[in-house]
Every structure is written in C-alpha cells, then in structure tokens.
Amino acid sequence: MNAAWPFGTDAAEHDPLTKLRIPVVTSFNPDWKYIAAYIDVDTSRYSWGSTERPTDAEAAMLRSYIDEYIDYFLGDRERQRMLKRPLDVEGRVVTRVFIKYGTDDWGYRVATWQYGPTYVPSGPKTRGTEHEYAKHRGPLTLEQVMDLDHDVYPKRWLDWKAAHPEVFPT
C-alpha cells in the first residue's frame, strides 16, 4: 500500500474521478466514511459496480453533491482539514454510494442500509420483477437520484442547484 494513499483497497487511487476528489469505491459498503462515492465494476470486489462511467457533466454533479454537503454541514475549518487527505472523509458521515446502470440510469444507496433494496431505484435486471423497489422506479438520471436523496429537506438542495446552473442547468 502506498503510504500517501491511506484508503488501501477501499478506493481506487489512480482513477480519473479521484483527481476530482470523488472516491471510486470497491464495495457498496466502503470502510471509510466518504461523503459520496461512485462504485465502478472494474474496481469492485464483486459484480455490484457500474457498467458505465460518469460523463463529465455527471462527474461535476457528483463533485457538487459532495461540495453541498461540506458547505451545509461542515464549513471552512473542516474543509481545510479534509483537504489534507486526497478524498473527502468525515467521521459523522453516512456514505452515499452512487451506481450508474447505463445512460441516464442511476441509483444510490446509503451505506448503513441493512434491509430493503441494495440501490434505489433498483437495477435494470430486477425491474419488472418482484424484487424491484416499486416506490421509485427507474431509470432515473443522476440528478433525479440526488433529488431523491434530498427529499426530506429539499429546499436547501434546490437552492444549491439553483446557485450552480453550470452544473445543474434548468
């Protein structure tokens, strides 16, 4: 293990998304408490990963999602502390793991989920079967999935998106 890379095999060190501080994780329940992560089939220990890579626009959305969390919950002091590591980790965070099933077809999970679907919405293989999570049916775009994750207090997320039209065009 590279001494400068503290995440071991939990996240890919040399992935292009890592340069944007977006963890590319190897498990749908990563060991580290990343704010948000992307799971890629090429790095996954299992076959649970994404079959397609995020577009540049989607990568910008993932980065913005992380920035919104930092801005709202943590602030400048914690951001400066996090910048000492190559990825944004925070001990109080419950990691969101995003998966890309295909073009404009995304899901997410909260790493603490123990029951119910692995990802919301369910993947294409379970759609239309008894294993599909019927409350939120796919396919959904990445932005729609991020909106789902903010459904309890949507105003702050909607305000963030409105303030970042370069990432979330109307």
Side-chain angles (χ1 to χ4, degrees), residues 23 37 52 75 101 129 135 140 154:
E52 289 191 30
Y101 303 122
T129 72
K135 185 175 179 185
L140 297 177

Side-chain angles (χ1 to χ4, degrees), residues 35 66-75 79 82 88:
I35 294 168
I66 294 167
D67 288 339
E68 186 272 340
Y69 182 94
I70 292 169
D71 184 73
Y72 185 79
F73 288 106
L74 303 178
R79 178 185 290 272
M82 281 193 290
D88 299 315

Side-chain angles (χ1 to χ4, degrees), residues 34-48:
Y34 309 104
I35 294 168
Y38 165 79
I39 186 166
D40 178 60
V41 76
D42 288 339
T43 63
S44 179
R45 295 179 204 147
Y46 315 100
S47 61
W48 296 88

